[in-house]
Amino acid sequence: MFTEASVNLLQSYQSGLSSYDEVLDLNGKIKPHWKALFATFEKLGIHELKNRNQEIISKLRENGVTYNVYGAPDGMNRPWQLDPIPFLIEQKEWNAIAKGLQQRAIVLDLLLKDIYGPRNLVRDAIIPAELVFENTGFFRSCIDIKVPAARQLTLFAADMARGPDGQMWIVDNRTQAPSGSGYTLENRIVMSKLLPELADGMYVSKLSPFFNSIQNTVLRLSDKSKDAPNIVYLTPGPGNEAYFEHAYLASYLGYTLAQGDDLLVRNGSVWLKSIDGLQKVDVIVRRVDDDWCDPLELREDSRLGVPGLLQAIRLGNVQVLNPPGSGVLENHAFLAFMDNICQYFLGEKLLMPNVATWWCGHKKELNYVLDNIDELIIKKANRKSRFSSIYGRLLSYSEKEALKRTISSRPNEFIAQQEVSLSTTPSLIDGHIEPRYAALRAFMVADENGYHVMQGGLTRSSAVKDRFVISNQQGGFSKDTWIVSDKSEEPQDRIVLNTPAAVNKHVSLPSRSAENLFWVGRYCERAMAVIKFMNITINVLNLDRNFGGSAKQEHIKILLQSLTHVSSTYPGFLEGDEKLNDPYREIIALTSDPYRPGTVASNIGAFLNAVGAVRNQWELEIWRIVDLIDNGYQEIRNASHMNSTNIQRTLDGLFNNMFTFLGVIAESMPRDNSFLLLETGKLIERILSKISVIQSNFGVRNAPAVENELIEATLINHHMLVNYRQIYKSHLSVEAMLDMILLEPSMPYSLGYMLDELKKNLAELPATTRGERLNEAERLALKASTLIKLANISELSKYNWNDERTELFNLLAEVAGIISSVSTYLTNQYFSHALIHHSFEPLDYDTDEV
């Protein structure tokens, strides 16, 4: 049974209500489950609730949960906002809501099939023809686009809000690529970890059966002859506002995350370009809007879709849900005719009403809108129109008259909706529990029995008092939605998927993801190499405070110039004496400038972008480390305001976190192609950076004292100083140092060791040619390794007549060139997304094998 609540917080909240609120029933009494929730708030105390809210903010940031806002300064990094106070609906009420939602989904599915079929609704004058033929979501090329199932509208979401009569009203329909279910799941996971006691005294329905139902529905649509169908989750890419959700759901559901360029159509089928070659795609779950899906038949300037996709669907060679063209139902004008449409198809009234809507294309409705504009909200009928909702009551007389003229000139383009007082719900605002307007998005998926409704949803509430501004783009925040009861729900059998686990061991790796993983390794190592050598140089500078005066030391100049070489930030310290006389200014620029290639900030920014592009690859532990790296990245961008001590402290933290990133990957990441490519990228970059330092420090003759300083700095850079001292004590020798950093087989940072590891990784990558023991990359790595191992260290240590170590410099230059060729080979073989490589095996189009 529900617990009794202490009344302090509840009474305080109730005294501030000015409209109908979710905590009250129609008789003005407190609902029992809200009493239970406020009782828990009393036990926690408002101070502890605020602390938990901060923990939620931190957890969401650690988990990398973002919602990108176009055009905002922090748009690509805006953290998801979650209110710690959930939105509660009693199970009995939800059951009635679910029936209304299921009816709505059935009607919309029938409407979709009629629009792209016989169009009986138009013929029988149930809806005006303009709602179809002037609808920007209607595409004639989609008339014969269907999925082989009873329901064409597979996924559906409806936005709801509680009206003044206490009933839930439909505010909007989402039918082409409904978003929000992934955020709903993440909200629940975070709330269950950080505020589990809020559910004391009540039972909360689970979300997992909905996602199991999605998996089962997708499997039924896939190729029945295959034990392991290839299912792709199609995303517009990292720049999309909800990319976090795309990656999150692809990972959660076990689907391959891909962008349009990762797919191609050949012989009427859709193929995924993976590093194993082309793999036939059976089902696409799309998050790309209709008109962007196929540039051949829809929007020709689209770079997000797949050329030829519609034809592949027509041929039945791939199933797409929802099928392109389903966005036609998102036209707001249909809301004005839903009662008649429902009566026409089902012979019954709508169980859930809409917000009262008028389409201005009919004269009677137009006149009503013009006469009552003060009470209405004006919208464009077509969702794609760039037109913000206009509240008539907020307009001046001249603005109203101008709007009326605009509506009258193009009445078919406008709808009006009644401005009604929707319910508020408790929200934590600046440490206080206050009422805010809220709307709930409910999610459905077609299954064998009709439509499965998620037992929950994504509630969004306004950050602004007395305004219904719930969009995440406009600063609204989300809530976990609890369907609650005072007894445990009936036990639900987990949906059994028909695919044996054994056949899913090989996971496709799209070529774009492969490239990003490769560059995650390279950028991570590149940033670490610059940070490591920068710290070495700063330490030497700090030991010599007189640098820049008459007593300046030559080894510091060489280290600074080596820093320019290893970061490739030319001309840097190679240009004149001005920067050498005041090195900290250049060091700060090398640290903080995100727009200058080669700087720490630039490399870490590129690393974070690459990591984000393949975020479906990372476990939460890894993403939390990425968040720490991101924090450090934000700090170093402000390094111009730091002194050398603070810069070093921040750089140390960044280096340690990036080292931890590589360590956790080494300990936890499966040894598949993803891991191999990341490791390969890391090794290539590490080899090139170490070669750069050796060449710069020891290419020419220096005084013995200078050379000793350079030897020590180089050993530190290779993580070998302790080992060197154990063997050689205090004796510093270029020959001994070169022997260790080039040939020592037990040291992970010796060139010989790294080249051997690179060769092993290349051998394990998918073969791209038949009949050859070694591919070109393996031959190149073997050649580089052999060159190093056959080198005569004594000869490499010697100078020529011009005081240069020509043999050392030339050997390392040759090895660096070979390793750069390995990188080029990998790019050509695995990372070209727009072309089919000649080295891929010919396809047998009668089978699914490549």
Side-chain angles (χ1 to χ4, degrees), residues 457-469:
L458 179 64
T459 297
R460 293 168 296 161
S461 58
S462 175
V464 184
K465 187 175 182 180
D466 297 328
R467 289 190 62 192
F468 191 73
V469 182

Side-chain angles (χ1 to χ4, degrees), residues 346-415:
L346 304 182
E348 57 191 39
K349 293 183 178 180
L350 283 174
L351 297 177
M352 288 186 69
N354 305 312
V355 172
T357 305
W358 294 266
W359 177 60
C360 297
H362 285 159
K363 188 173 183 180
K364 178 181 176 183
E365 282 75 10
L366 172 63
N367 290 336
Y368 177 86
V369 170
L370 297 177
D371 292 341
N372 296 275
I373 201 164
D374 287 338
E375 304 169 8
L376 303 173
I377 304 170
I378 307 300
K379 300 179 180 180
K380 279 289 187 77
N382 287 306
R383 184 187 298 281
K384 291 288 184 181
S385 303
R386 294 183 178 276
F387 186 88
S388 299
S389 299
I390 298 176
Y391 289 73
R393 62 180 172 81
L394 300 178
L395 301 179
S396 65
Y397 176 80
S398 60
E399 289 172 331
K400 288 177 192 174
E401 293 304 308
L403 178 59
K404 288 179 182 180
R405 288 193 296 271
T406 301
I407 296 172
S408 298
S409 65
R410 301 188 303 276
N412 293 354
E413 297 181 11
F414 290 90
I415 62 116

Side-chain angles (χ1 to χ4, degrees), residues 306-327:
V306 185
L309 177 61
L310 293 190
Q311 181 62 14
I313 300 173
R314 291 188 192 101
L315 295 172
N317 293 330
V318 68
Q319 311 306 327
V320 178
L321 53 115
N322 286 337
S326 55

Side-chain angles (χ1 to χ4, degrees), residues 61-202:
R61 183 176 178 85
E62 287 176 8
N63 293 355
V65 188
T66 58
Y67 184 86
N68 303 330
V69 180
Y70 304 129
D74 62 344
M76 297 305 294
N77 297 288
R78 177 173 292 187
W80 181 250
Q81 298 184 76
L82 172 61
D83 187 346
I85 302 177
F87 186 84
L88 310 185
I89 299 180
E90 199 271 325
Q91 183 71 57
K92 184 176 180 181
E93 181 189 6
W94 183 255
N95 292 339
I97 291 172
K99 289 181 180 178
L101 292 170
Q102 289 166 332
Q103 181 201 53
R104 172 80 50 156
I106 291 169
V107 171
L108 287 174
D109 177 65
L110 293 171
L111 174 57
L112 179 63
K113 289 187 280 194
D114 184 70
I115 288 173
Y116 286 110
R119 288 191 278 277
N120 291 328
L121 288 170
V122 174
R123 185 195 63 194
D124 296 337
I126 304 300
I127 61 174
E130 291 89 341
L131 264 63
V132 175
F133 300 112
E134 293 183 8
N135 189 328
T136 56
F138 175 74
F139 301 104
R140 293 184 183 277
S141 53
C142 294
I143 286 175
D144 50 358
I145 300 300
K146 293 179 173 58
V147 294
R151 308 291 182 194
Q152 295 302 299
L153 187 63
T154 309
L155 299 170
F156 170 54
D159 290 334
M160 305 179 293
R162 197 180 298 278
D165 60 354
Q167 302 301 308
M168 282 290 185
W169 292 3
I170 297 290
V171 177
D172 206 355
N173 301 311
R174 298 287 178 165
T175 58
Q176 55 177 329
S179 64
S181 60
Y183 290 108
T184 302
L185 181 60
E186 177 65 11
N187 284 352
R188 177 62 56 85
I189 291 171
V190 171
M191 288 289 289
S192 65
K193 287 182 178 179
L194 298 182
L195 278 166
E197 57 266 72
L198 291 191
D200 288 351
M202 63 183 84

Side-chain angles (χ1 to χ4, degrees), residues 459-739:
T459 297
R460 293 168 296 161
S461 58
S462 175
V464 184
K465 187 175 182 180
D466 297 328
R467 289 190 62 192
F468 191 73
V469 182
I470 62 169
S471 168
N472 298 99
Q473 294 278 5
Q474 298 177 345
F477 48 88
S478 68
K479 288 173 168 287
D480 192 13
T481 305
W482 291 5
I483 311 305
V484 298
S485 62
D486 58 354
K487 64 179 181 178
S488 179
E489 59 187 319
E490 292 291 326
Q492 294 178 320
D493 294 330
R494 182 177 177 84
I495 295 176
V496 178
L497 304 181
N498 299 320
T499 305
V503 302
N504 285 323
K505 289 184 177 179
H506 181 77
V507 179
S508 300
L509 181 63
S511 59
R512 183 190 307 276
S513 298
E515 182 179 33
N516 279 306
L517 286 162
F518 177 77
W519 282 100
V520 165
R522 288 204 66 168
Y523 283 129
C524 183
E525 183 61 35
R526 186 176 296 179
M528 291 175 65
V530 176
I531 292 171
K532 178 74 173 176
F533 202 78
M534 184 179 288
N535 268 334
I536 292 170
T537 306
I538 292 174
N539 286 335
V540 174
L541 279 170
N542 289 340
L543 289 174
D544 191 346
R545 296 294 183 180
N546 293 323
F547 178 70
S550 57
K552 71 177 184 179
Q553 303 201 17
E554 185 66 20
H555 74 279
I556 297 179
K557 175 182 176 181
I558 295 172
L559 290 176
L560 289 170
Q561 291 177 339
S562 294
L563 181 58
T564 295
H565 286 301
V566 79
S567 61
S568 296
T569 52
Y570 302 105
F573 290 108
L574 303 179
E575 183 182 49
D577 292 334
E578 181 180 347
K579 290 180 180 176
L580 291 170
N581 292 333
D582 183 13
Y584 284 111
R585 181 177 298 178
E586 174 69 2
I587 286 173
I588 288 172
L590 285 178
T591 301
S592 62
D593 189 348
Y595 305 108
R596 181 180 174 186
T599 65
V600 175
S602 173
N603 289 329
I604 293 180
F607 163 78
L608 292 171
N609 287 337
V611 166
V614 285
R615 64 174 305 135
N616 56 307
Q617 295 281 339
W618 314 122
E619 299 287 347
L620 273 181
E621 292 80 4
I622 295 176
W623 198 260
R624 287 167 186 160
I625 299 167
V626 172
D627 178 60
L628 295 175
I629 295 171
D630 189 28
N631 290 340
Y633 171 65
Q634 302 305 326
E635 287 184 35
I636 62 169
R637 294 183 65 174
N638 297 315
S640 57
H641 305 295
M642 298 182 184
N643 57 36
S644 61
T645 302
N646 289 335
I647 288 176
Q648 261 197 296
R649 187 181 300 117
T650 303
L651 289 175
D652 283 340
L654 266 172
F655 186 87
N656 291 336
N657 287 327
M658 298 188 88
F659 217 98
T660 303
F661 172 82
L662 293 177
V664 174
I665 283 176
E667 290 295 321
S668 64
M669 198 169 181
R671 267 37 178 185
D672 55 12
N673 291 330
S674 300
F675 176 81
L676 289 173
L677 284 164
L678 190 150
E679 280 289 300
T680 298
K682 179 193 77 176
L683 285 168
I684 287 174
E685 195 65 40
R686 185 173 291 175
I687 291 167
L688 293 175
S689 69
K690 300 309 176 193
I691 285 176
S692 176
V693 170
I694 299 168
Q695 286 180 311
S696 180
N697 284 351
F698 301 101
V700 298
R701 181 191 294 271
N702 290 294
V706 172
E707 201 138 86
N708 286 345
E709 296 287 349
L710 296 178
I711 289 171
E712 186 166 315
T714 304
L715 288 169
I716 294 172
N717 191 53
H718 281 72
H719 302 269
M720 294 184 185
L721 182 61
V722 171
N723 189 262
Y724 183 94
R725 285 174 172 168
Q726 288 174 345
I727 298 172
Y728 298 103
K729 310 310 178 194
S730 61
H731 174 68
L732 293 174
S733 158
V734 171
E735 187 171 337
M737 178 210 67
L738 287 177
D739 182 76

